[in-house]
Amino acid sequence: MPMERRLTFTDLPEAKAVLGTKDEFLRALQKEYPSCRIAARGDEVLIVGDEPDISQIEEVLNALRYLHRENTYLTMQHVRYAASLIRQGKKELLQSIYGDTVSISARGRLIKPKTAGQKRYVDSIRKNLVTFGIGPAGTGKTYLAVALAAFYLKNREIERIILTRPAVEAGEKLGFLPGDLQEKIDPYLRPLYDALADMFGYDQFQKMVARNIIEVAPLAYMRGRTLEESFIILDEAQNTTREQMKMFLTRMGNHSRVVVNGDITQIDLVDRKMSGLMEAQRILENVPGIGMVRFTDEDVVRHDMVGRIIRAYETFYKKK
């Protein structure tokens, strides 16, 4: 015989945050547990169904309540990932992921890992001097690396943040773009600007750039330098050549930390085999002090459609 259980939120604002705009999170949870009936009225949720499913739904809702109280921006991904892990009996893993605060944004939001892959990535950066984050778009590689860099800078464990990426065109030539060299390069660095502005606030970010505390530059500007007491992030590393990758990795100085991010399915080089990232992951896999973290489509934290697109492409290429 079906059972029923009621879950009462602290207040109506909490209920609206946890259940989503127009109950979108509640509807997503209903799809995860089709054998149950979940209904909301005011600050209360009624769950009707069999005991194991009811308990799991309650655990998912409590996980979302915890994140809301921690001032975390809730998304559909939180709902589905929490339901997936709890259904697999991995509640402790979920607690480990959501219990870790990476940094705090300029707007006061706590930045936390959202998946097991992100948690491994964050732990690797903390543990190792060099970390490779390899995986598809939308897995939060750049954002989490910048968040950790901001944390280390605020705690005075480093003196500078340096972010770089190769200026390799995806289908268009730099020469055809308007403006001088810096203006041509800026669009390639925009994701890094956005992440930094979110961490420090736009005005503070601009001041730190002016004081050279934060440097955002194309990879070519790294040659001949030794980067000490810095947190250095190389983004879009799949588009580095073998020579560029070696050059970049040997720029590392004392008391510095390096993060290399890339997606080997999105190489824009003329010869894919020349990718410095593809070669580096083979050469450096077992070198002490280097962490190699690989993300999958399960770690995609952008819109659900991004994960579907990635899986569709992977299926297509496997068939070919």
Side-chain angles (χ1 to χ4, degrees), residues 158-187:
I158 56 167
E159 293 187 353
R160 302 175 63 205
I161 297 174
I162 300 172
L163 304 102
T164 185
R165 63 183 292 183
V168 175
E169 308 94 327
E172 59 181 329
K173 298 296 182 183
L174 280 174
F176 294 134
L177 297 176
D180 59 22
L181 178 61
Q182 190 61 48
E183 289 171 329
K184 291 180 180 188
I185 289 169
D186 275 353

Side-chain angles (χ1 to χ4, degrees), residues 8-211:
T8 303
F9 293 98
T10 304
D11 49 34
L12 196 57
E14 182 186 64
K16 288 182 176 179
V18 171
L19 300 178
T21 305
K22 297 182 179 179
D23 292 341
E24 62 174 339
F25 297 161
L26 185 147
R27 290 195 298 274
L29 195 54
Q30 178 69 78
K31 288 182 180 179
E32 295 290 331
Y33 295 92
S35 63
C36 292
R37 182 169 64 86
I38 313 171
R41 179 170 293 180
D43 62 354
E44 191 175 77
V45 170
L46 173 66
I47 310 168
V48 180
D50 296 330
E51 167 53 32
D53 287 346
I54 289 179
S55 294
Q56 288 183 18
I57 292 168
E58 191 172 15
E59 287 179 347
V60 173
L61 290 172
N62 283 331
L64 298 178
R65 291 177 76 177
Y66 167 76
L67 289 174
H68 171 65
R69 290 169 183 172
E70 287 276 286
N71 204 22
T72 302
Y73 179 69
L74 294 175
T75 67
M76 194 74 76
Q77 191 274 342
H78 284 112
V79 180
R80 292 187 174 143
Y81 198 75
S84 174
L85 287 189
I86 287 172
R87 193 182 295 113
Q88 296 173 50
K90 297 180 179 179
K91 181 180 176 180
E92 294 75 15
L93 177 58
L94 189 68
Q95 291 170 342
S96 172
I97 295 169
Y98 291 167
D100 187 356
T101 299
V102 176
S103 189
I104 303 175
S105 75
R107 291 176 287 178
R109 286 180 180 165
L110 297 188
I111 299 163
K112 297 173 175 288
K114 295 181 179 179
T115 68
Q118 288 195 349
K119 173 64 173 166
R120 289 194 303 272
Y121 178 64
V122 167
D123 288 344
S124 177
I125 294 174
R126 289 168 174 159
K127 176 184 176 183
N128 297 296
L129 294 178
V130 179
T131 292
F132 284 80
I134 303 170
T139 49
K141 300 184 295 293
T142 300
Y143 191 79
L144 283 173
V146 170
L148 277 164
F151 174 83
Y152 284 123
L153 184 64
K154 290 173 183 176
N155 284 274
R156 299 184 178 181
E157 295 184 41
I158 56 167
E159 293 187 353
R160 302 175 63 205
I161 297 174
I162 300 172
L163 304 102
T164 185
R165 63 183 292 183
V168 175
E169 308 94 327
E172 59 181 329
K173 298 296 182 183
L174 280 174
F176 294 134
L177 297 176
D180 59 22
L181 178 61
Q182 190 61 48
E183 289 171 329
K184 291 180 180 188
I185 289 169
D186 275 353
Y188 292 91
L189 306 175
R190 183 54 52 188
L192 303 176
Y193 286 129
D194 292 343
L196 283 164
D198 198 31
M199 289 302 117
F200 296 102
Y202 186 76
D203 291 341
Q204 182 66 13
F205 163 58
Q206 290 293 338
K207 291 177 183 177
M208 295 171 87
V209 170
R211 292 165 57 195

